[in-house]
Amino acid sequence: TGLITLDPGYKNTGATKSAVTFLDGEKGILRYRGYPIEQLAENSDFLEVAYLLINGDLPNKKQSAYFKERITNHTLIHEDMKRFYEAFPSTAHPMGILSSMLSSLSTFYPESQNPNRSIEDIELTFHRLVAKITTLAALSYKSSKGQPYIYPDNKKSYVENFLYMMFAVPSEKYELDPVVVDALNKLLILHADHEQNCSASTVRIVGSSQSNLYSAISAGVSALWGPLHGGANQAVIEMLEMIIADGGDYQKWIEKAKDKNDSFRLMGFGHRVYKNFDPRATIIKKSCDEILAKMGVDDKALGIARKLEEVALKDPYFIERGLYPNVDFYSGIIYRAIGIPTEMFTVLFAIGRLPGWIAQWKEMIENQEPIGRPRQVYVGATKRDYVPIEKRK
Ligand code: CMC
């Protein structure tokens, strides 16, 4: 009862108190559990950041070893799950497969639906998710290529293992490139959490009905898939390729993005919260230059991206609206340079974001938050009487 405040898109509505991620959109500050993103990207590794987000503090040596061992021990998926891959059409998008596979994990671990299970059991779900998501993702790629599945190698680190499962081919030696491993580690860290974004809010809202965590995470993957959210990384590369194919006239596309009668948007530009710059984009842009130089890659798309940024940042349309390159603007160029196929870009985002979703879900459960249930302002028909079908016009 009482007055309902309308706030489409929840632009100004806080739905929770959170101690996970601090974000200042005006100053371009991002911190996980108090640690600046720049320091984590420089010094940490992805599993350590996952631990930090989920548990609240950086792990000591013993905690770190235990966490890594647990993740390593749960990388295998039930053999029966492999059959699911055979049923998807060869054109299936890996995000659709990933969300289905994550949801199906709930059928293999039905105890996850019990809201009264022990803390140890809940933790096991966290470990299973972080461990299995890379296996599930790599299998979807292998299956789309018609290549044999590569089982996880427990001697490898998290990121190494993912690359190995993606790219190794039986009977051929697979050599990991440390530049690629470092680049992926950094990208996953930069994507690991971003407070109450669309997918994290989805995970919280699904979880708030006490549905199991696998289903909540699967819903988060579905939310992330859209081009306005995580799907932007794929959309950026497709846009850059389209501009190149169209003759490279980037100015024309800037004008289209500004035209209110044209639905085209400059993908990888703008953010709901950052209105001055996205600190993740600053780090990624620098890494992008370094990685491409180290790998000796000369990507035309990078040239177009730089031009678009240069022109847009001087244009009053983008300045007035506070539109800057976001995390997705340069990430796709790095993914491409390290050999990740375009349709897998958003899957990489999901692997990175998983610890954040888990941390957000855990916080919601620990704080015993009520079921998420927004209100509305009704604008439909007023009361009217039922008309039998014979009498309808
Ligand atoms: N190109 C052209 N115009 C834009 C763009 C863009 N990329 N983004 C926003 N605008 C305009 C928009 O038309 C509106 O103009 P006006 O005030 O004249 O109507 C104004 O800027 C505000 O935009 P909005 O859509 O009301 O802002 P929002 O906070 O609802 O949307 C956004 C944020 C990220 C969805 C949007 O900027 C966008 O669609 N960007 C492109 C997609 C993208 O890169 N998404 C990735 C986000 S970062 C990764 C992640 O965390 O998900």
Side-chain angles (χ1 to χ4, degrees):
T1 56
L3 213 56
I4 288 171
T5 317
L6 250 196
D7 183 15
Y10 313 116
K11 291 199 179 197
N12 295 298
T13 300
T16 187
K17 288 184 181 172
S18 181
V20 181
T21 288
F22 174 78
L23 200 168
D24 182 329
E26 295 301 321
K27 299 198 184 108
I29 298 173
L30 175 61
R31 298 184 197 132
Y32 300 159
R33 302 283 189 184
Y35 294 101
I37 191 67
E38 293 79 8
Q39 291 184 24
L40 292 170
E42 194 58 39
N43 305 305
S44 192
D45 72 58
F46 177 63
L47 275 196
E48 187 176 72
V49 169
Y51 184 99
L52 168 70
L53 284 166
I54 296 170
N55 298 291
D57 282 306
L58 283 169
N60 60 28
K61 276 190 183 155
K62 203 171 147 207
Q63 290 162 331
S64 171
Y66 173 72
F67 187 66
K68 286 183 180 168
E69 188 198 316
R70 292 274 290 191
I71 300 301
T72 311
N73 286 347
H74 287 283
T75 45
L76 283 175
I77 55 165
H78 196 291
E79 283 291 301
D80 287 352
M81 284 189 86
K82 289 200 315 198
R83 294 211 313 267
F84 296 171
Y85 286 95
E86 292 159 23
F88 290 108
S90 60
T91 50
H93 194 285
M95 282 296 275
I97 299 181
L98 184 64
S99 125
S100 311
M101 287 297 175
L102 287 165
S103 178
S104 74
L105 282 177
S106 65
T107 66
F108 287 88
Y109 307 109
E111 67 283 0
S112 60
Q113 189 59 36
N114 173 8
N116 300 318
R117 66 200 190 284
S118 66
I119 302 282
E120 291 73 31
D121 198 54
I122 294 176
E123 275 204 336
L124 180 58
T125 310
F126 299 165
H127 298 153
R128 278 191 180 129
L129 275 164
V130 176
K132 292 182 201 308
I133 194 169
T134 48
T135 314
L136 293 173
L139 287 198
S140 77
Y141 175 63
K142 285 294 188 199
S143 131
S144 74
K145 297 287 268 186
Q147 287 180 4
Y149 302 143
I150 301 290
Y151 281 75
D153 172 357
N154 289 354
K155 289 190 287 304
K156 293 186 165 50
S157 75
Y158 190 77
V159 166
E160 287 172 352
N161 209 1
F162 172 65
L163 289 165
Y164 167 73
M165 288 188 285
M166 280 279 291
F167 297 120
V169 179
S171 80
E172 273 177 38
K173 198 167 164 7
Y174 177 68
E175 290 219 22
L176 284 155
D177 180 343
V179 175
V180 173
V181 175
D182 282 356
L184 197 49
N185 232 323
K186 199 174 271 194
L187 281 169
L188 293 180
I189 291 173
L190 292 175
H191 285 88
D193 193 51
H194 214 233
E195 51 119 298
Q196 308 312 314
N197 55 82
C198 177
S199 57
S201 303
T202 301
V203 170
R204 288 182 92 121
I205 222 163
V206 173
S208 77
S209 75
Q210 297 192 351
S211 168
N212 67 82
L213 181 58
Y214 297 112
S215 302
I217 297 292
S218 157
V221 169
S222 301
L224 187 74
W225 191 359
L228 299 190
H229 192 10
N233 57 15
Q234 173 172 344
V236 168
I237 282 289
E238 286 168 353
M239 171 187 81
L240 296 174
E241 278 168 354
M242 183 177 70
I243 297 175
I244 293 168
D246 188 51
D249 182 0
Y250 49 86
Q251 193 67 49
K252 171 178 145 191
W253 294 90
I254 295 261
E255 294 310 317
K256 274 169 78 67
K258 287 157 59 178
D259 182 353
K260 287 287 147 203
N261 298 318
D262 191 322
S263 64
F264 175 77
R265 280 191 166 197
L266 204 52
M267 297 316 288
F269 255 75
H271 196 273
R272 171 61 61 79
V273 190
Y274 294 123
K275 297 298 174 200
N276 278 317
F277 67 97
D278 179 339
R280 303 167 299 173
T282 311
I283 301 172
I284 288 186
K285 188 180 176 190
K286 193 165 157 266
S287 301
C288 187
D289 289 338
E290 286 167 8
I291 292 159
L292 265 61
K294 272 191 206 157
M295 299 189 74
V297 173
D298 180 20
D299 193 339
K300 250 191 181 171
L302 179 61
I304 295 284
R306 284 206 190 101
K307 286 284 179 207
L308 284 173
E309 180 182 353
E310 197 185 306
V311 174
L313 292 186
K314 284 190 207 132
D315 192 304
Y317 174 93
F318 293 89
I319 296 171
E320 279 157 21
R321 290 169 180 76
L323 301 170
Y324 291 84
N326 59 48
V327 68
D328 290 323
F329 195 61
Y330 287 104
S331 66
I333 295 171
I334 305 184
Y335 288 140
R336 192 150 81 154
I338 64 177
I340 307 281
T342 311
E343 68 278 8
M344 288 294 285
F345 289 2
T346 317
V347 170
L348 265 290
F349 195 151
I351 295 173
R353 184 55 56 87
L354 177 62
W357 289 330
I358 294 174
Q360 299 286 342
W361 179 90
K362 183 170 173 256
E363 180 172 70
M364 180 206 56
I365 297 293
E366 284 171 354
N367 293 348
Q368 299 183 344
E369 288 181 14
I371 186 166
R373 206 290 184 197
R375 300 298 303 275
Q376 65 167 14
V377 172
Y378 178 71
V379 294
T382 49
K383 181 183 176 284
R384 46 186 176 162
D385 290 322
Y386 182 81
V387 182
I389 195 158
E390 306 78 47
K391 295 201 176 152
R392 287 177 215 158
K393 277 186 245 150

